C-alpha cells in the first residue's frame, strides 16, 4: 500500500511528514492537495509544490500573528516549518544550491516563531560541542522545575531538529518525560550552516548532550535515557557503548552496520566491481540505476553530501566505520531494540539489530504481513510514540 505517490521514496517521505499531523505539524488536506500537483520522481516538482505551500502557510501565520490570533499563528508556523523542510529534502545532489540554506533557515525560523508562541516549555538551547555549539530544544512537561525523567532524542541520516518533536518529544511529554532534542554533525543546521559532517564516533556528540542535560536542575540524573531514530539507532548504540551515564537506550531502528545496509541497496554488479577495486565501473553501474530508482538516487546524493565524500565510492568507504561490530558488547544499560521486518533502508542489518550487548534488552518487531512495506518502519514510530518506548524506560 502506498499513499499519494507510486514512487517508493516520494510515498515514504509523504507518509513521514503526514504523520506529524498527530501533533499539529502537518495537515491531511493540505498534503493530499499538494501531492496531487507533484510529478512522480521529479525532485524539482517536489520542491516547487511544497515550497508554494510553505510560503502560503507562512503568510497565513504572519497575518494571524499581526491580528493577534496567536493559536492560529502557532499552528500555521508549525506546518510551514514542516513544508519548508519537506521542500528542501531532495536538493542535496547539488550542494551549492542556495535553496538548501534558504529553505532550512525558513523552516528553522517558522518553528522558532511557533516555539515562542507556545511559551517557555519549548526552550531553544545551545549544546557546547568542540569549538562550537549544536542547536537543540528542551521540551518541558511544565515550568515547575521539578527534576523529571529525561529523554535525549537524536535523529538520523536526513533528520533536522524541527521534526524531532513529532517523532518522540510530544509522546515523551505526555508520559511525564522532559525531552532534549538536538541536531548533530551531518544534520540540520550544523551541516547546512557550518559544514559539520557525519562522524562514526557519535559518543563525541552524545556525551556533550549528556553533560549539558546534567547541568539542568530539572533533569533527574538517575533517569536519563537516549533514543536514536533511523541512522540514529546506530548513533545511539555507539554512544551508549562508551557513555555510561545513560540509564536506558532505545534503538529506533536497531541498525547494526550502516555500510552493510547501504551495500544491500546496490546492484550486485556494482558491488562486484567495487570489491575488486574498480570504482569507476562500480559508480557507472550505480549511477545508471539511479536514473530509474528515486530512493537510490536520493540515498547516494544525500550520503556524498552529508559525509563530505568526493564520490559515491568514497561515501561507501567512509561508512564502513559505522558498525557495532566488536563494540556492542560494551553496552551496559538496558536497551529496547525496534525493527520493521521489511524496512526499506536497513534490511541487511536485520537480526543483527538484536545487538549482542551484555545488558538487558527487549526486542520489538513489526511483521510485514501486518504492516505494508512502505510504512513498515514508520509504524514503529506510532508504536514508540504512543506507548511502548517512552513507557518502557520507566520499567
Amino acid at each position: 500500500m502506498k499513499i499519494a505517490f507510486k514512487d517508493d521514496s516520494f510515498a515514504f517521505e509523504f507518509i513521514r511528514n503526514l504523520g506529524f499531523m498527530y501533533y499539529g505539524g502537518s495537515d491531511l488536506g493540505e498534503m493530499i492537495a499538494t501531492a496531487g500537483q507533484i510529478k512522480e520522481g521529479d525532485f524539482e516538482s517536489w520542491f516547487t509544490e511544497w515550497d508554494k505551500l510553505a510560503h502560503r502557510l507562512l503568510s497565513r501565520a504572519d497575518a494571524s500573528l499581526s491580528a493577534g490570533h496567536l493559536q492560529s499563528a502557532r499552528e500555521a508556523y508549525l506546518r510551514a516549518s514542516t513544508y519548508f523542510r519537506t521542500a528542501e529534502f531532495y536538493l542535496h545532489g547539488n550542494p551549492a544550491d542556495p535553496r538548501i540554506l534558504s529553505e532550512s533557515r525558513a523552516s528553522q525560523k517558522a518553528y522558532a516563531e511557533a516555539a515562542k508562541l507556545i511559551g517557555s516549555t519549548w526552550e531553544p538551547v545551545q549544546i557546547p560541542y568542540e569549538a562550537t555549539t549544536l542547536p537543540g530544544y528542551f521540551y518541558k512537561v511544565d515550568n515547575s522545575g521539578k527534576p523529571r525523567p529525561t529523554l535525549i532524542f537524536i535523529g538520523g541520516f536526513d533528520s533536522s531538529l524541527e521534526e524531532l518533536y513529532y517523532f518522540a518529544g510530544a509522546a515523551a511529554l505526555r508520559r511525564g518525560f522532559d525531552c532534549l532534542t538536538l541536531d548533530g554533525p551531518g544534520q540540520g543546521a550544523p551541516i547546512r550552516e557550518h559544514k559539520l559532517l557525519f562522524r562514526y564516533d557519535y559518543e563525541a556528540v552524545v556525551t556533550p548532550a549528556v553533560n549539558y542535560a546534567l547541568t539542568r536542575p530539572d533533569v533527574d540524573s538517575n533517569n536519563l535515557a537516549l533514543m536514536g531514530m533511523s541512522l540514529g539507532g546506530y548513533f545511539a548504540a555507539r554512544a551508549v557503548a562508551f557513555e555510561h551515564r545513560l540509564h536506558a537506550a532505545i534503538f529506533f531502528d536497531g541498525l547494526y552496520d550502516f555500510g552493510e545496509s547501504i551495500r544491500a541497496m546496490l546492484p550486485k554488479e556494482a558491488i562486484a566491481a567495487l570489491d575488486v577495486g574498480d570504482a569507476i565501473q562500480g559508480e557507472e553501474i550505480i549511477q545508471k540505476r539511479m536514473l530509474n530508482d528515486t530512493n537510490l538516487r536520493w540515498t547516494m546524493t544525500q550520503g556524498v553530501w552529508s559525509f563530505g565524500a568526493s564520490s559515491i565510492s568514497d561515501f561507501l568507504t567512509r561508512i564502513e566505520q559505522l558498525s557495532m561490530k566488536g563494540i556492542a558488547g560494551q553496552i551496559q544499560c538496558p536497551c529496547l531494540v525496534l525493527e520493521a521486518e521489511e524496512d526499506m533502508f536497513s534490511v541487511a542489518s536485520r537480526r543483527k539489530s538484536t545487538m549482542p550487548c551484555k545488558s538487558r534488552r527487549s526486542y520489538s518487531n513489526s511483521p510485514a504481513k501486518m504492516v505494508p512495506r512502505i510504512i513498515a518502519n514508520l509504524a514503529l514510530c506510532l508504536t514508540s510514540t504512543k506507548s511502548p518506548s517512552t513507557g518502557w524506560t520507566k520499567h
Side-chain angles (χ1 to χ4, degrees), residues 8 49 76 86 116 149 153 223 257 299 326 334 363 371 375:
D8 276 2
E49 298 305 325
T86 304
K116 289 178 188 176
F153 181 49
N223 284 285
D257 189 310
T299 300
Y363 179 76
V371 185
I375 61 173

Side-chain angles (χ1 to χ4, degrees), residues 246-269:
L246 292 156
H247 296 272
I250 302 165
F251 311 141
F252 164 42
D253 290 354
L255 185 55
Y256 184 85
D257 189 310
F258 184 54
E260 189 176 272
S261 294
I262 295 299
R263 279 173 61 93
M265 299 174 64
L266 304 177
K268 293 180 180 180
E269 300 84 357

Side-chain angles (χ1 to χ4, degrees), residues 128-139:
Y129 168 74
E130 297 187 343
T132 185
T133 59
L134 299 174
Y137 276 92
F138 193 86
Y139 300 102

Side-chain angles (χ1 to χ4, degrees), residues 155-394:
F157 188 46
D158 53 29
S159 297
S160 292
L161 175 64
E162 293 73 30
E163 70 176 340
L164 300 183
Y165 170 78
Y166 308 112
F167 278 113
L173 295 179
R174 292 186 178 192
R175 288 159 181 82
F177 283 71
D178 288 342
C179 184
L180 173 63
T181 63
L182 66 147
D183 269 339
Q187 300 169 336
I191 186 170
R192 291 164 177 82
E193 299 281 352
H194 307 297
K195 310 304 181 187
L196 295 180
L197 305 172
F198 275 126
R199 56 189 300 169
Y200 74 94
D201 53 343
Y202 224 71
E203 66 276 13
V205 179
V206 170
T207 288
V210 173
N211 291 342
Y212 168 78
L214 294 178
T215 67
R216 298 184 61 105
D218 50 1
V219 170
D220 180 351
S221 62
N222 293 315
N223 284 285
L224 189 61
L226 176 67
M227 180 175 178
M229 174 181 69
S230 190
L231 179 55
Y234 160 77
F235 290 146
R238 168 82 194 199
V240 295
F242 295 91
E243 175 51 77
H244 300 305
R245 291 174 293 175
L246 292 156
H247 296 272
I250 302 165
F251 311 141
F252 164 42
D253 290 354
L255 185 55
Y256 184 85
D257 189 310
F258 184 54
E260 189 176 272
S261 294
I262 295 299
R263 279 173 61 93
M265 299 174 64
L266 304 177
K268 293 180 180 180
E269 300 84 357
I271 294 175
L274 293 169
D275 284 349
V276 297
D278 192 346
I280 294 176
Q281 178 67 12
E283 289 209 26
E284 287 180 354
I285 295 170
I286 293 169
Q287 289 170 348
K288 184 176 180 179
R289 175 70 63 84
M290 286 165 61
L291 295 174
N292 297 305
D293 186 330
T294 306
N295 190 48
L296 183 62
R297 179 166 36 129
W298 172 78
T299 300
M300 294 298 107
T301 55
Q302 174 72 12
V304 169
W305 175 69
S306 59
F307 280 84
S310 60
S311 63
I312 291 173
S313 59
D314 183 36
F315 161 59
L316 296 173
T317 298
R318 290 177 183 235
I319 61 176
E320 290 175 359
Q321 293 181 296
L322 278 70
S323 174
M324 290 302 296
K325 183 177 181 180
I327 299 171
Q330 298 173 206
I331 298 174
Q332 298 178 7
C333 66
C335 303
L336 174 62
V337 184
L338 302 177
E339 178 188 278
E341 190 171 81
E342 293 197 18
D343 184 335
M344 63 191 282
F345 293 106
S346 57
V347 173
S349 278
R350 190 177 303 131
R351 294 306 169 198
K352 287 184 179 179
S353 68
T354 53
M355 291 292 176
C357 48
K358 297 178 181 178
S359 61
R360 178 172 64 86
R361 66 183 184 269
S362 298
Y363 179 76
S364 178
N365 175 269
S366 180
K369 66 181 180 180
M370 296 177 63
V371 185
R373 177 176 60 87
I374 192 67
I375 61 173
N377 62 346
L378 288 183
L380 284 176
C381 172
L382 300 181
T383 60
S384 67
T385 58
K386 290 190 173 178
S387 65
S389 63
T390 48
W392 172 85
T393 59
K394 290 185 177 182

Side-chain angles (χ1 to χ4, degrees), residues 71-88:
Q71 179 70 15
S72 295
R74 180 187 69 81
E75 293 174 356
Y77 279 130
L78 286 177
R79 301 204 306 279
S81 176
T82 294
Y83 302 143
F84 278 123
R85 187 175 60 254
T86 304
E88 187 264 358

